Amino acid sequence: MMPEEYYEFERILEGLDEEFALMALGIIGLVMAVAGLVALVLYIFQSVALYSMAKNRGIANPWLAWLPIGNYWIAGSLSDQYQYVVNGQVKSKRVILLVLSIAGAVVSSLVSSVATGSFLLTTGQVNMEHLLALGSVGTVANLVSFALQLTTFVFWQMALYDIYTSCNPKCNVLFLVLGIIFGMTIPFFLFFNRKKELGMPPRKHA
């Protein structure tokens, strides 16, 4: 026979486990809420900056800056405009970034579908044969997704470099490097330089 103190100790441990689990869930929820709020603020800063630049420089449909994929189109358009006005070169970063972002979203959805299919194996709704097929598709999808993300990142940084140069050429490299290392600084660099055109030729007044 177990002494009564043993069972009492077990009940105390169970209570502590429940309290710890609730506290952990509360902390996780708080962290996720704060992270979501920070991400929203950064997105607003970046969208305001790109919208202002596009509007000031005559880029068509500046409101696209408020859309997730539209961010890439506007940034690419600003970069293309800078290359054409300053260097006389016709680039297509806006198209490249748009295509890459859409392709990335499609592949990411495929990866999520594969993950969902793998989860369904535990419920008996998917058999092992299906899981093996999903695994092969998932491996390819993950590789393609990584390649798309890396390529998008490179072209995004190229577009940002042109934008920084058009706004404040003396700090373009600094902004680029800090943005690569600390990604959350990019919206602030864009926002606080949104009205500058130090790297653009003087406008011709009618």
Side-chain angles (χ1 to χ4, degrees):
M1 296 289 294
M2 291 288 185
E4 184 65 27
E5 291 79 2
Y6 175 82
Y7 294 109
E8 183 66 25
F9 180 70
E10 286 295 313
R11 285 194 291 271
I12 293 174
L13 287 181
E14 290 177 0
L16 290 175
D17 288 342
E18 291 178 0
E19 291 180 4
F20 178 78
L22 290 174
M23 183 175 67
L25 288 174
I27 293 174
I28 292 173
L30 178 61
V31 170
M32 292 180 64
V34 172
L37 181 61
V38 171
L40 177 61
V41 170
L42 293 176
Y43 184 81
I44 291 174
F45 267 77
Q46 181 167 293
S47 297
V48 169
L50 291 176
Y51 172 82
S52 298
M53 289 182 189
K55 188 175 181 180
N56 292 338
R57 300 184 188 183
I59 300 295
N61 303 314
W63 57 268
L64 288 172
W66 290 99
L67 304 179
I69 293 179
N71 261 220
Y72 290 108
W73 176 265
I74 295 299
S77 296
L78 290 167
S79 173
D80 291 344
Q81 182 191 60
Y82 169 78
Q83 287 293 336
Y84 180 76
V85 171
V86 176
N87 300 319
Q89 298 177 352
V90 178
K91 301 292 184 179
S92 300
K93 287 193 187 73
R94 63 188 184 280
V95 176
I96 295 173
L97 282 169
L98 181 65
V99 171
L100 286 172
S101 60
I102 293 175
V106 172
V107 175
S108 294
S109 298
L110 179 60
V111 171
S112 298
S113 298
V114 171
T116 302
S118 300
F119 171 76
L120 289 177
L121 177 68
T122 62
T123 66
Q125 299 181 43
V126 175
N127 58 36
M128 185 58 69
E129 182 180 349
H130 292 156
L131 180 64
L132 291 175
L134 285 172
S136 300
V137 173
T139 300
V140 175
N142 275 302
L143 290 174
V144 173
S145 178
F146 175 77
L148 286 171
Q149 291 176 13
L150 181 60
T151 307
T152 303
F153 176 81
V154 171
F155 276 94
W156 172 248
Q157 296 301 327
M158 291 170 63
L160 287 176
Y161 179 76
D162 285 341
I163 294 174
Y164 295 148
T165 305
S166 71
C167 295
N168 192 350
K170 292 184 178 180
C171 299
N172 55 1
V173 175
L174 176 63
F175 291 157
L176 181 68
V177 172
L178 289 177
I180 291 174
I181 299 174
F182 307 105
M184 64 184 305
T185 61
I186 293 174
F188 297 108
F189 291 150
L190 292 173
F191 183 82
F192 291 113
N193 288 279
R194 69 189 185 282
K195 296 182 180 180
K196 296 181 179 179
E197 296 185 2
L198 302 179
M200 297 289 283
R203 299 196 185 197
K204 297 180 180 180
H205 299 284

